[in-house]
Amino acid sequence: MLTETVFRSEDLSGADRFGSWCELISSAHTPLELHSDHAAEFWAYQRVIELGSVQVWPTVYQPLHFTRTPQLIRRSDPEQFHIALPVRGVHHVEVAGRNASFAPYELHLFDSSQPFHLYSTNANGLFSGVGIDIPKALLPKRSSQLLGQPMSGREGVGALLTQCLATLVKDSGSLTPADGTRLGAVLADLAYALFAQALEAEHALPPETRQRTLALRIQSFIRQNLSDPQLAPSMIAAAHHISVRYLHRLFQHEQRTVVACIRHQRLEHAARDLTDPTQQTTPIHAIAARWGFRCHADFTRAFRRTYDMAPRDYRSQSRRAADLPDAASAPGQKTTSAIRLPRPSVPRTQTGTGPATVPTPSQTQKREQTGS
């Protein structure tokens, strides 16, 4: 598992909560002065996830003021940038002679070598967000020019960075320290690409960073277009203005080829729909077509190779499993062992759980549109 530090204010007495929180922030990140109108009974939750030289910290807390003063900078400067992602609530910032407010999914930057004042608040209660600490050496030299400027976390490279953070926060329990170092490099590359784009200096990106960022864009494009029967290497290459040959070269270091990646994700979605109780009456051929399979026979063959049974049998086995009595039945009552649905024969990504998750921008937009 990744190295994580967790802070829960409810584990402490009311009188000790705010002081302990202040100590954690200053020791784990950058020395700061903290003030809150709720200090007497402060509530906060934070995880610090170690990814080599990069730190990610999802957090939830009551409205709070953060101040980085010249005196604190002289006392200690870790020479790092902090990228802030509000998820629920707003950041009001004074930095580099600018006053700015940042809404949910507006990424913005802090420099440990420059003073600032930040007020995190949420009219509906608790503020939640994610922070990333990255050494300055891993980011463009002119990054400080972006202080006080918003960068969208809903589109382009910003959306890729946000999606990567959401997945990391959700699945960190299934990752190893070696995974953490690689993920830290990926996050640093995405941040570099985002800053270079904002600075209009994409041409200065290191080749490795451009390549990794392009691969992540392509994987996001595949996920968004799985239902299109036309999705194929030629379509993907054309959409990203590269050759099919270069596309295949990008995937040489991935777990699957381009075609195998598309097929694997389509089959996973189809298998999920087959086990969905709300879709029991949906014809199997309709589910196959929904996920881009033009020919039902091709879908059945691919599904059988991956799950070792036909889609119809997979659905039936799911129904029988759902109808079984609960394992914790009354004393003396005979129970039936659970039927386990087969896993695909190809490797799958494990899903971990954690107490704090970050919804993706698209999920947040849907909730905003429905008023929930």
Side-chain angles (χ1 to χ4, degrees):
M1 292 180 61
L2 297 178
T3 301
E4 291 192 20
T5 303
V6 179
F7 175 90
R8 298 181 181 88
S9 60
E10 62 262 35
D11 294 340
L12 304 170
S13 65
D16 295 332
R17 291 179 179 181
F18 191 68
S20 298
W21 171 256
C22 293
E23 290 178 11
L24 171 69
I25 293 295
S26 292
S27 62
H29 309 297
T30 302
L32 296 165
E33 292 179 358
L34 277 65
H35 303 280
S36 175
D37 294 336
H38 307 275
E41 288 289 339
F42 192 68
W43 193 97
Y45 170 85
Q46 177 175 298
R47 293 160 59 199
V48 180
I49 306 172
E50 304 286 346
L51 304 173
S53 61
V54 175
Q55 281 188 337
V56 173
W57 40 297
T59 184
V60 184
Y61 51 84
Q62 290 178 298
L64 186 64
H65 292 267
F66 301 81
T67 305
R68 176 91 167 137
T69 66
Q71 292 80 7
L72 290 174
I73 293 171
R74 287 194 294 270
R75 185 190 308 171
S76 174
D77 184 2
E79 291 287 336
Q80 65 186 18
F81 286 114
H82 175 78
I83 304 171
L85 173 69
V87 175
R88 290 183 174 84
V90 178
H91 271 176
H92 300 288
V93 178
E94 298 176 27
V95 63
R98 300 170 181 157
N99 293 319
S101 295
F102 300 96
Y105 291 94
E106 286 188 331
L107 293 154
H108 53 286
L109 183 66
F110 296 94
D111 182 343
S112 66
S113 304
Q114 295 202 34
F116 65 82
H117 175 258
L118 162 65
Y119 178 43
S120 301
T121 185
N122 185 353
N124 296 320
L126 297 173
F127 174 90
S128 67
V130 183
I132 318 171
D133 292 332
I134 302 180
K136 290 183 177 181
L138 301 181
L139 296 172
K141 293 181 179 179
R142 295 190 292 124
S143 295
S144 289
Q145 296 179 15
L146 299 173
L147 293 173
Q149 296 184 21
M151 294 169 281
S152 175
R154 298 187 186 275
E155 58 188 17
V157 179
L160 291 176
L161 178 58
T162 299
Q163 291 164 8
C164 186
L165 287 172
T167 302
L168 169 65
V169 171
K170 177 185 176 184
D171 295 343
S172 63
S174 64
L175 302 172
T176 67
D179 295 326
T181 302
R182 287 190 288 269
L183 282 170
V186 169
L187 287 174
D189 282 341
L190 286 172
Y192 196 118
L194 178 65
F195 290 4
Q197 185 181 65
L199 292 164
E200 298 183 348
E202 286 187 276
H203 61 279
L205 285 172
E208 298 82 4
T209 299
R210 282 202 301 270
Q211 198 171 69
R212 287 179 191 153
T213 303
L214 178 58
L216 288 168
R217 283 177 174 166
I218 289 170
Q219 290 166 3
S220 178
F221 179 85
I222 289 172
R223 288 193 297 270
Q224 294 169 10
N225 291 276
L226 287 173
S227 60
D228 187 347
Q230 301 295 327
L231 184 65
S234 57
M235 173 184 170
I236 296 168
H240 293 84
H241 310 290
I242 59 175
S243 67
V244 173
R245 182 177 180 181
Y246 185 65
L247 173 65
H248 288 304
R249 192 187 311 165
L250 283 174
F251 272 72
Q252 284 179 350
H253 303 293
E254 301 296 327
Q255 195 175 35
R256 301 177 180 86
T257 65
V258 183
V259 173
C261 177
I262 296 170
R263 181 175 59 247
H264 171 73
Q265 292 190 52
R266 282 174 167 167
L267 288 170
E268 277 205 324
H269 282 284
R272 181 199 63 194
D273 289 353
L274 287 170
T275 60
D276 184 353
T278 66
Q279 301 189 50
Q280 288 186 5
T281 60
T282 304
I284 292 176
H285 67 82
I287 291 176
R290 177 190 301 160
W291 294 111
F293 290 96
R294 300 187 213 188
C295 175
H296 182 61
D298 290 343
F299 166 69
T300 300
R301 281 193 294 271
F303 195 97
R304 190 187 294 273
R305 282 197 303 269
T306 302
Y307 290 90
D308 297 323
M309 64 174 63
R312 187 180 303 278
D313 297 333
Y314 188 87
R315 171 180 267 179
S316 298
Q317 188 158 318
S318 168
R319 289 173 178 170
R320 293 200 301 273
D323 290 340
L324 286 174
D326 187 75
S329 53
Q333 181 178 342
K334 186 177 181 180
T335 60
T336 308
S337 58
I339 297 175
R340 296 182 180 273
L341 290 175
R343 295 179 177 271
S345 55
V346 292
R348 297 182 69 186
T349 302
Q350 294 180 346
T351 302
T353 58
T357 61
V358 181
T360 62
S362 59
Q363 290 171 331
T364 300
Q365 286 175 319
K366 288 177 183 176
R367 281 197 285 267
E368 290 171 351
Q369 291 167 1
T370 57
S372 58

